Amino acid sequence: MISDILKRKKEEKGMTTEALSRLSGVPLGTINKILNGETRSPRYDTLMALEKVLLDKKDTDEYLVIRDSQAALEYQGCGPYTIEDYRALPQEVRAELIDGELIFMEAPGTAHQILVMKIAFLLELFIRENKGECLVLPAPLDVQLDCDDKTLVQPDIVVLCKKEKLVKEGIYGAPDMVIEVTSPSTRRMDFAKKMVKYDNAGVREYWIVDLQKKKVVTYHLEEDPMPSLYTFRDKIPVQIFDEKLEIDFAGFADVLESIPE
């Protein structure tokens, strides 16, 4: 536990809690809550301030646990968290924030990345050829769906046609189209909670590319709440472009089949 590490280092240095507060700039009450375990997952900037005082240079590799993605899992399930907490995570940690819960993600596999690249390319090519105004943006990109401080997601691909929703940190509001390519760690989330979040936020079209089942589920959310089901042998129409673009999944087959299981 983080509290045990900090408590041990404080004792080794013979430092009082009052002195630690003064030197780190962290309020005394906050330090007490961390040391007694009441606060299980301190904010990143708070932890760094304490570690700067308590840890010697030789301790860095062993004790700066919050910078390790495994240690960051201590955040999960301990919410509710806010976007401020999300932005305080180490940059190398991949996570999403949904309804105040931090959800940590594994690095995507080869097939996942190939599909994301190829689908995004076809969308971008269509927009350019038709002199469209929409943008195609792949992950990692923060999307603040609900315009509140408890949900921030990173869809695999978004199509955004209202550029006023672009902000410095990513997208503020619902994109026009979202595509998620499933992985074992995200599959349930993509089919359940995320679908509801995208629908409620006003996403017009949502695709789930299911690598395990080799199927694509599409939702034309602004017209019909019922999904359409396709296989990896089909050409799938993009509804927000009035079906003038079809993504031919059969064209990806050779590359996908060459990837070892």
Side-chain angles (χ1 to χ4, degrees), residues 6-170:
L6 296 178
K7 191 181 299 181
R8 181 166 65 251
K9 295 304 296 182
K10 174 176 169 291
E11 292 172 355
E12 288 175 4
K13 288 182 175 291
M15 186 177 294
T16 66
T17 307
E18 289 78 6
L20 178 56
S21 175
R22 185 176 66 255
L23 293 171
S24 66
V26 176
L28 183 61
T30 299
I31 294 176
N32 284 329
K33 288 181 179 180
I34 294 171
L35 295 180
N36 66 24
E38 184 178 345
T39 300
R40 291 180 55 198
S41 300
R43 293 180 186 274
Y44 184 67
D45 53 353
T46 297
L47 192 59
M48 292 299 99
L50 294 174
E51 289 179 340
K52 187 175 181 180
V53 175
L54 290 174
L55 303 186
D56 300 321
K57 194 170 183 179
K58 61 183 176 61
D59 296 323
T60 300
D61 290 340
E62 181 180 357
Y63 287 103
L64 289 184
V65 293
I66 194 62
R67 293 183 182 173
D68 188 287
S69 60
Q70 293 300 315
L73 292 174
E74 291 192 20
Y75 278 91
Q76 193 159 358
C78 300
Y81 292 101
T82 66
I83 288 176
E84 182 181 358
D85 297 306
Y86 171 89
R87 298 204 188 284
L89 289 170
Q91 289 186 351
E92 66 272 18
V93 174
R94 299 186 69 248
E96 293 181 303
L97 178 69
I98 300 180
D99 294 333
E101 179 184 2
L102 281 168
I103 299 162
F104 293 88
M105 302 179 291
E106 300 174 358
T110 307
H112 179 284
Q113 294 301 85
I114 287 174
L115 275 175
V116 168
M117 180 190 71
K118 288 184 173 294
I119 295 170
F121 171 77
L122 292 175
L123 289 165
E124 176 70 19
L125 184 62
F126 176 83
I127 292 168
R128 288 188 182 185
E129 289 178 345
N130 289 274
K131 297 180 171 54
E133 296 294 326
C134 300
L135 298 174
V136 180
L137 301 165
L141 179 74
D142 291 340
V143 178
Q144 193 173 341
L145 269 182
D146 297 332
C147 299
D148 67 9
D149 67 345
K150 291 183 172 59
T151 296
L152 196 151
V153 294
Q154 289 198 5
D156 289 316
I157 302 171
V158 300
V159 179
L160 181 69
C161 301
K162 296 180 179 179
K163 294 183 181 179
E164 64 269 19
K165 293 183 179 181
L166 277 178
V167 295
K168 180 180 179 182
E169 297 81 7

Side-chain angles (χ1 to χ4, degrees), residues 227-245:
S228 299
L229 182 63
Y230 300 90
T231 72
F232 277 15
R233 298 184 299 274
D234 294 325
K235 293 181 179 180
I236 305 177
V238 179
Q239 299 293 338
I240 65 166
F241 297 145
D242 299 322
E243 300 188 4
K244 294 177 182 177
L245 169 65

